[in-house]
Amino acid sequence: HPAIHVWLHDDTRIDFSAWSYALQRLPENITSVYSLVLSRRVINVLKVGHITNNGRTSNYTDTEKDCDQIEYVVAGVSPGKPVACKDRRRTCWELMPGKLFMLLRDTSSDYMDIISNLCVHTIEAKKLKNKFRPLSLTVPHLEKGMKKIRILGGNDIEEIKRIEKETMQQVPRLSSHDIDSLQQLWPSGNALKCVMDQLIQHGDYNIFVDPAVRDYSISGDERWASRLRVAAEKLLGRVPNMNALCVDLISSNTHSVLNLLSPYVHKKYPEILSWGRENHPDVFSYEGKDTNQSDSDMLKSSMLYPLLVHWFNAFPEEINKRKEMEAQHGIVEVQEKDVTGVSVQLIDLNKLKRAKKKYNFEFDPCIPFPDSCRKPSSDSAASNNCTDSEECFKPSENKHILVNIDYCFGKQAENIMRSLCLIFGKCVRSVNILGKAGALVGNRGDILFPTHLLDESAEGAMLPSDNTDVDPDSLCELSNRPVHIGPVITVEGTLLQNKNLLYFYERLWHAVGMEMEGSFYRKAIDQAKMLGILGRHVKVRMLYYVSDTPLKPESSLSQKMGLYEGVPPLYAITRMILAFVLETPAPQKEEVTPENVSFSIGGKRKNWKRKWKSLKTCVRLSLNQPKKLKKCINEAEAESPRSST
């Protein structure tokens, strides 16, 4: 009994909110499907791979090394007709009428989500079928209505909806609320067809799952990583010394980070704002709620960004202008619609900062200074008391890029983060996870500050979330929203939580919320640190805004979130993280180890530089790492007594 859908198991009432939630996460033709094929690999009938090498085209094999040039081409004829999912970035193809292929992003979270939503769809479809009994009396009415729609031709949507309503009104057990809700489920004039499909469909599905574990093949995550690596090389050029590169990773979405840094948006700021006040005053209807002027300024700045959707709808030619301006200033986007569904933005922060000064534009004016976001520390060296944006956010001597990836889904996050760690390695300075979560305390629009991550699939394994340098008081002041501090659960699926389980986590574990990716990100980061792929200095920050409260049915995921509830907290946590990311990185120093210490003191005068370097190394080790120095001396003494002296 899912906590977010309280009427799902009431046989007398169709839970249209639950059904709508499920249909938006399933393929759009699910009402006419009988058989599903789920796999992490594209099956051969859909795969038309081609690798071009020196003008030669060869057949695709999974063992090909040059995976950068591999493309999946779906034939325009059946089999291979693409099918869309509204609220999930899933790759689906219709193999034949009634049979569907779905490409899984992972073999855990994605599979669980598909099956659980399919169960909800089946439960509600059976309730609908009961309302149409006896079928011998109701089906002829539907057939007559569908015949009228076919004669009409399908051009006049309003007339089609009128016919649909008149037809379904002849079914005695359908209320006016049921009819309106069915037309909202299928608003494009195909409600009668979809209802008829449910009456024909018995509710049984044949599901084939390809485990893909017996042989190794190049995964979609690896192809994604390869494309990202190529794009980063084009943006930065050759980096001969990896110590001269600083990388900050952010997992959020593809609009909030870019909007806060976009040169186009902030050069057009006054024009867009005045246009919005004139044409979309409803966006600013919240302003009367705030009496504090600074808070109002923060909200005005945040509400600029929802106006961009209306702005680009009214002026579509401005989309290309924005892309061109951002590309000139070091912002590159790697679009990914198939396979992983995770798009990436690469931002050359040095180039962007220089352009900011040269072309006289600003970043979002409400991004705070880094020191105002940090927890108070007695270590004076940890803070430089910077209060000048030109000084705090000046270009670095080294190359500095921001890698912003779109939301992952469940366990997919572990594979994506592992790929990022392998690409950038010890160049990574910080990993920042921004997202939305369901809250067990508070209300929509609040902010969650995780202290630990509780992995539900690992039977209560607790992982630290770090957040050691983020000040929750500063975050509360920046967002003007309550900040809830405590453990956050990583769940296997949103539909798999009932109220008893949620109360257990809230009261016994003192959890403040739940999400689906945090523990998987944390596992990949910890593994990379243990293997020496990431440096031990890497900062990990995690912040979430509350998108729903599953213990309160009126604000669950099936209820639409208001503009005022979602936009200000999303941009508040993004500003907080960007304050740290934009801070000029300190030069990275190579870690001193016995392997990179030289003790060749003896020799001719021409080696005096090497002698002096070795002597400085000895002094540094004696001050900071005496045990390591002793080990170095013992090794040197074994080679030559003079060297140890």
Side-chain angles (χ1 to χ4, degrees):
H1 290 247
I4 63 174
H5 301 310
V6 294
W7 304 109
L8 183 63
H9 293 282
D10 184 350
D11 293 335
T12 63
R13 174 177 178 177
I14 299 177
D15 191 341
F16 284 103
S17 64
W19 204 359
S20 174
Y21 178 89
L23 288 175
Q24 289 173 5
R25 287 154 180 81
L26 291 171
E28 60 184 12
N29 68 337
I30 193 65
T31 59
S32 60
V33 169
Y34 302 89
S35 180
L36 294 169
V37 180
L38 310 180
S39 175
R40 286 214 69 191
R41 301 177 297 181
V42 175
I43 57 179
N44 291 331
V45 72
L46 294 173
K47 189 163 54 180
V48 185
H50 55 85
I51 303 173
T52 303
N53 185 14
N54 297 326
R56 178 178 59 84
T57 301
S58 62
N59 293 328
Y60 166 73
T61 62
D62 283 341
T63 57
E64 289 283 2
K65 294 181 180 179
D66 190 9
C67 63
D68 296 341
Q69 302 298 323
I70 294 175
E71 296 179 4
Y72 285 129
V73 181
V74 181
V77 296
S78 183
K81 179 182 177 183
V83 182
C85 284
K86 185 177 179 181
D87 285 357
R88 287 282 187 266
R89 293 189 293 269
R90 288 201 173 102
T91 303
C92 308
W93 292 298
E94 186 180 25
L95 302 178
M96 58 187 296
K99 189 170 185 178
L100 194 69
F101 172 81
M102 301 179 72
L103 187 65
L104 296 174
R105 289 170 286 182
D106 67 87
T107 53
S108 176
S109 304
D110 216 14
Y111 172 77
M112 200 80 70
D113 186 69
I114 291 169
I115 298 301
S116 57
N117 281 292
L118 194 59
C119 288
V120 173
H121 166 62
T122 303
I123 290 170
E124 299 305 323
K126 286 184 177 179
K127 292 182 191 178
L128 179 67
K129 193 171 186 177
N130 289 334
K131 287 198 175 252
F132 274 81
R133 294 189 186 277
L135 298 182
S136 58
L137 297 180
T138 56
V139 169
H141 294 304
L142 295 180
E143 291 176 341
K144 289 179 182 178
M146 293 172 65
K147 185 176 181 180
K148 290 179 182 178
I149 292 174
R150 284 195 296 269
I151 294 172
L152 189 63
N155 296 323
D156 191 347
I157 296 296
E158 293 301 322
E159 181 63 19
I160 290 174
K161 287 186 176 181
R162 187 190 64 78
I163 295 173
E164 289 177 345
K165 196 163 189 175
E166 286 181 356
T167 302
M168 286 189 283
Q169 282 174 347
Q170 298 179 50
V171 179
R173 299 177 65 183
L174 280 183
S175 66
S176 58
H177 171 72
D178 293 337
I179 295 172
D180 292 339
S181 299
L182 286 170
Q183 288 190 310
Q184 289 174 7
L185 283 181
W186 297 288
S188 56
N190 60 341
L192 287 184
K193 178 186 178 302
C194 292
V195 169
M196 180 68 83
D197 289 339
Q198 303 311 302
L199 301 182
I200 297 172
Q201 164 69 279
H202 188 263
D204 298 331
Y205 288 91
N206 175 28
I207 300 174
F208 173 77
V209 181
D210 176 19
V213 294
R214 293 187 178 182
D215 61 337
Y216 173 77
S217 60
I218 298 173
S219 69
D221 302 325
E222 290 171 329
R223 291 190 179 91
W224 176 87
S226 180
R227 286 193 290 271
L228 176 58
R229 175 183 58 81
V230 171
E233 287 177 352
K234 288 181 180 178
L235 178 65
L236 296 173
R238 184 174 175 81
V239 183
N241 180 10
M242 297 306 288
N243 286 330
L245 174 64
C246 175
V247 180
D248 288 290
L249 305 178
I250 295 182
S251 171
S252 60
N253 51 58
T254 55
H255 57 85
S256 61
V257 171
L258 190 60
N259 286 342
L260 291 172
L261 300 179
S262 171
Y264 172 90
V265 172
H266 296 288
K267 282 184 77 70
K268 291 269 190 178
Y269 175 87
E271 183 180 349
I272 296 173
L273 210 60
S274 60
W275 177 86
R277 288 186 183 281
E278 182 178 347
N279 295 276
H280 294 277
D282 54 301
V283 175
F284 301 91
S285 61
Y286 67 89
E287 290 183 7
K289 298 180 182 179
D290 291 272
T291 55
N292 189 314
Q293 183 60 36
S294 62
D295 293 339
S296 181
D297 290 342
M298 178 73 73
L299 289 169
K300 289 175 186 175
S301 179
S302 296
M303 288 302 166
L304 161 71
Y305 307 117
L307 282 174
L308 291 175
V309 177
H310 304 295
W311 170 265
F312 289 123
N313 286 337
F315 307 103
E317 68 279 0
E318 294 292 319
I319 297 175
N320 289 332
K321 292 182 181 179
R322 173 178 180 170
K323 289 181 179 179
E324 290 173 4
M325 183 179 292
E326 289 172 350
Q328 290 172 1
H329 297 332
I331 300 175
V332 175
E333 191 161 4
V334 182
Q335 289 285 353
E336 171 71 14
K337 295 181 180 179
D338 298 329
V339 190
T340 65
V342 180
S343 296
V344 188
Q345 292 159 345
L346 299 171
I347 303 176
D348 186 339
L349 291 177
N350 281 348
K351 189 172 183 179
L352 191 62
K353 289 174 182 178
R354 294 189 190 101
K356 171 176 168 285
K357 188 173 182 180
K358 181 177 179 181
Y359 296 101
N360 192 28
F361 69 88
E362 294 293 332
F363 299 144
D364 181 271
C366 298
I367 296 176
F369 295 113
D371 288 330
S372 66
C373 303
R374 289 193 175 94
K375 290 182 179 178
S377 173
S378 58
D379 182 11
S380 59
S383 175
N384 55 13
N385 294 321
C386 180
T387 57
D388 180 18
S389 63
E390 294 296 331
E391 183 64 25
C392 286
F393 304 142
K394 65 182 179 182
S396 168
E397 295 178 0
N398 299 330
K399 293 188 176 183
H400 184 193
I401 66 166
L402 165 61
V403 181
N404 178 45
I405 66 170
D406 202 354
Y407 291 129
C408 299
F409 186 75
K411 197 175 186 302
Q412 181 194 29
E414 188 172 354
N415 300 328
I416 292 294
M417 182 54 66
R418 188 179 290 119
S419 299
L420 289 170
C421 293
L422 289 171
I423 292 173
F424 298 107
K426 291 191 176 180
C427 300
V428 176
R429 178 176 68 161
S430 69
V431 180
N432 308 275
I433 312 300
L434 304 176
K436 54 185 179 181
L440 303 179
V441 296
N443 300 296
R444 273 182 165 180
D446 292 354
I447 291 174
L448 303 183
F449 189 96
T451 56
H452 293 81
L453 296 165
L454 175 63
D455 188 356
E456 184 185 51
S457 62
E459 298 182 355
M462 294 282 281
L463 301 170
S465 64
D466 284 1
N467 279 339
T468 52
D469 58 348
V470 181
D471 183 16
D473 293 333
S474 300
L475 182 58
C476 182
E477 184 179 349
L478 179 67
S479 63
N480 194 32
R481 299 294 172 96
V483 177
H484 305 285
I485 304 173
V488 171
I489 319 159
T490 300
V491 298
E492 292 188 280
T494 54
L495 286 172
L496 303 180
Q497 318 304 315
N498 62 18
K499 285 193 174 182
N500 291 337
L501 189 62
L502 295 181
Y503 280 127
F504 168 80
Y505 286 128
E506 180 201 3
R507 294 171 183 175
L508 273 74
W509 290 92
H510 303 289
V512 296
M514 61 179 190
E515 47 81 57
M516 290 187 64
E517 295 83 28
S519 292
F520 298 114
Y521 277 129
R522 185 74 235 194
K523 286 177 190 176
I525 294 167
D526 288 345
Q527 288 173 4
K529 285 185 176 182
M530 290 172 62
L531 294 171
I533 298 171
L534 290 182
R536 289 171 292 176
H537 64 280
V538 172
K539 294 284 186 183
V540 181
R541 308 179 185 97
M542 292 186 174
L543 297 173
Y544 299 94
Y545 75 95
V546 177
S547 61
D548 64 288
T549 53
L551 293 175
K552 300 176 182 177
E554 67 276 5
S555 57
S556 67
L557 272 176
S558 57
Q559 308 299 324
K560 189 175 180 181
M561 195 172 188
L563 196 64
Y564 177 75
E565 291 176 314
V567 173
L570 167 63
Y571 279 92
I573 61 176
T574 309
R575 289 185 181 102
M576 174 67 78
I577 293 302
L578 283 180
F580 293 103
V581 169
L582 291 173
E583 187 177 19
T584 304
Q588 295 187 19
K589 296 181 180 179
E590 186 178 358
E591 294 185 15
V592 180
T593 61
E595 289 76 16
N596 61 18
V597 175
S598 172
F599 284 93
S600 49
I601 301 295
K604 299 181 180 180
R605 186 174 177 82
K606 65 181 181 180
N607 293 328
W608 68 272
K609 289 184 179 180
R610 188 164 54 176
K611 296 177 190 178
W612 176 239
K613 183 178 180 182
S614 300
L615 182 59
K616 286 197 298 181
T617 302
C618 289
V619 173
R620 185 163 65 252
L621 286 174
S622 66
L623 293 175
N624 300 325
Q625 305 174 44
K627 291 183 180 179
K628 195 173 285 186
L629 173 64
K630 188 174 181 180
K631 182 180 178 182
C632 293
I633 291 175
N634 291 338
E635 291 177 357
E637 192 170 20
E639 294 179 6
S640 169
R642 186 176 181 183
S643 294
S644 65
T645 305

